[in-house]
Amino acid sequence: MASHVFMIRQETAPAQWWFLSLAFVGAAYAATVTLRFVAYLALCRCHRPKDDLRRRYGEWAVVTGPTSGIGRAMALELARHGLNLVLVGRDPAILREISGTVKSLHKVKTKTVVFDLSLVWTPDGDEPLRRLREAVEGLDVGVVVNNAGVAKPGAVYLHEADVEAWVRMVRVNMSAVTEVTAVVLPGMVSRGRGAIVNIGSAGSEYIPSLPLYTMYAATKRYVAQFSRSLHVEYASKGIHVQCQAPFFVDTRLMFRFEEAAGGVSLFTVTPDAYARAAVAWIGRGGALCTPAVRHQLLRRMAAAAPDSVHDWILLRLATWNRKRCFSGSE
Ligand SMILES: NC(=O)c1ccc[n+]([C@@H]2O[C@H](COP(=O)([O-])OP(=O)(O)OC[C@H]3O[C@@H](n4cnc5c(N)ncnc54)[C@H](OP(=O)(O)O)[C@@H]3O)[C@@H](O)[C@H]2O)c1
């Protein structure tokens, strides 16, 4: 009888040990995820004094694509933080309008540079690039927001759009980010400070695929990897490089998925709300971040679903969007 009990103990002890180890690993993982999320929320709540960006990085900010959506909201938010602005866009009238609005609301200076960023790395792009260099020369440029971006052609199969349209997207989303960064870096290196914010997309970072928006997602992956490597390359020179990867922001570019997916609109933020969070995050955290709290929640939820589920849902939503675009309701 006694030997029988001893045998059962011997058999159950390793099982208990395994169970306890797994429970410990599970608890440690849950604690790490929770702590990361709490640390993230703490950063979101962290108040940034009005003159902080000016003091830490410099008096001027360069913003590309300030004529609508996120770029416009970020330009206004940076001005609210006391930064003078170099506004880079392709439409002179709207640039003048946003410049006037900024100056009427905040006591800052502005400069505008007319630049169609789809011309970067073409002979026609040399002249506006020279004007941009001239505009920032001698300025204490502390912050750069590479925001301009295009998602069109979207909701199309790769073989459907003409090559020139893809090339324009590549130039705006990738070449312009690279070139504008290259223009401001020498000044930042010589001053030993600066913050570069590249607007990427959650669509290339936190979900496995973005069917029918393949080229867009691929260009945004470039933005993220470009930022990650520069983050490491320039950290010792006092320059913080960051890719911000938002989910849904209510602009004309936003994929109109939310109408098909109902609940997604819960996770959509206004450009102003995004800009407040985005500016609070400048120079904080690692090379990749998702500033808005709602987007952070969506990111956590997305991480829990298997890739095949994402792929299935996204293809259906994109197909729905495609029908909508081609039926002319978009
Ligand atoms: N909205 C979202 O849900 C979302 C999600 C993830 C990432 N993003 C990213 O956020 C950034 C801003 O997009 P948004 O949502 O604010 O869209 P938006 O309202 O369409 O703004 C895009 C901006 O880029 C400018 N731009 C486009 N092509 C240009 C060119 N060739 N030369 C110069 N400027 C050009 C536009 O200028 P014009 O006014 O002259 O067209 C506009 O100012 C983009 O990089 C986008 O990929 C947006």
Side-chain angles (χ1 to χ4, degrees), residues 182-222:
V183 165
V184 296
L185 270 174
M188 287 183 169
V189 170
S190 69
R191 290 184 292 276
R193 61 183 192 166
I196 296 173
V197 178
N198 299 322
I199 306 291
S201 171
S204 70
E205 301 313 301
Y206 307 126
I207 50 178
S209 68
L210 206 54
L212 306 194
Y213 292 90
T214 299
M215 282 295 287
Y216 174 75
T219 60
K220 288 299 177 179
R221 177 46 78 101
Y222 171 88

Side-chain angles (χ1 to χ4, degrees), residues 106-319:
H106 307 286
K107 279 193 181 140
V108 296
K109 297 178 212 154
T110 63
K111 283 186 174 194
T112 58
V113 178
V114 179
F115 196 165
D116 179 346
L117 295 168
S118 70
L119 297 176
V120 168
W121 293 353
T122 73
D124 290 341
D126 292 347
E127 166 58 15
L129 194 60
R130 189 193 57 73
R131 279 189 274 110
L132 176 62
R133 277 207 192 88
E134 222 171 73
V136 299
E137 205 176 298
L139 296 185
D140 180 14
V141 175
V143 175
V144 174
V145 182
N146 278 308
N147 157 79
V150 281
K152 277 186 182 159
V156 289
Y157 286 89
L158 191 71
H159 69 275
E160 290 176 336
D162 69 285
V163 172
E164 196 42 48
W166 295 135
V167 171
R168 273 198 304 276
M169 181 192 273
V170 166
R171 288 206 200 105
V172 178
N173 292 5
M174 293 164 54
S175 314
V177 173
T178 313
E179 198 59 76
V180 171
T181 304
V183 165
V184 296
L185 270 174
M188 287 183 169
V189 170
S190 69
R191 290 184 292 276
R193 61 183 192 166
I196 296 173
V197 178
N198 299 322
I199 306 291
S201 171
S204 70
E205 301 313 301
Y206 307 126
I207 50 178
S209 68
L210 206 54
L212 306 194
Y213 292 90
T214 299
M215 282 295 287
Y216 174 75
T219 60
K220 288 299 177 179
R221 177 46 78 101
Y222 171 88
V223 173
Q225 190 59 14
F226 176 70
S227 310
R228 279 194 192 99
S229 299
L230 282 188
H231 178 85
V232 178
E233 203 171 311
Y234 284 92
S236 65
K237 302 189 188 309
I239 300 165
H240 188 277
V241 184
Q242 171 181 76
C243 171
Q244 296 194 352
F247 277 93
F248 302 98
V249 183
D250 193 5
T251 69
R252 46 174 209 205
L253 178 143
M254 189 180 81
F255 307 131
R256 298 288 156 193
F257 284 167
E258 82 285 13
E259 289 164 33
V264 172
S265 60
L266 275 177
F267 299 103
T268 301
V269 300
T270 64
D272 290 345
Y274 181 78
R276 274 194 301 278
V279 169
W281 269 82
I282 292 176
R284 291 176 172 158
L288 180 68
C289 68
T290 310
V293 175
R294 286 177 196 212
H295 291 174
Q296 188 64 216
L297 284 170
L298 189 54
R299 181 184 153 184
R300 306 276 155 190
M301 284 164 59
D307 286 3
S308 53
V309 172
H310 280 288
D311 293 344
W312 190 86
I313 295 174
L314 286 161
L315 184 59
R316 262 136 205 90
L317 290 177
T319 308

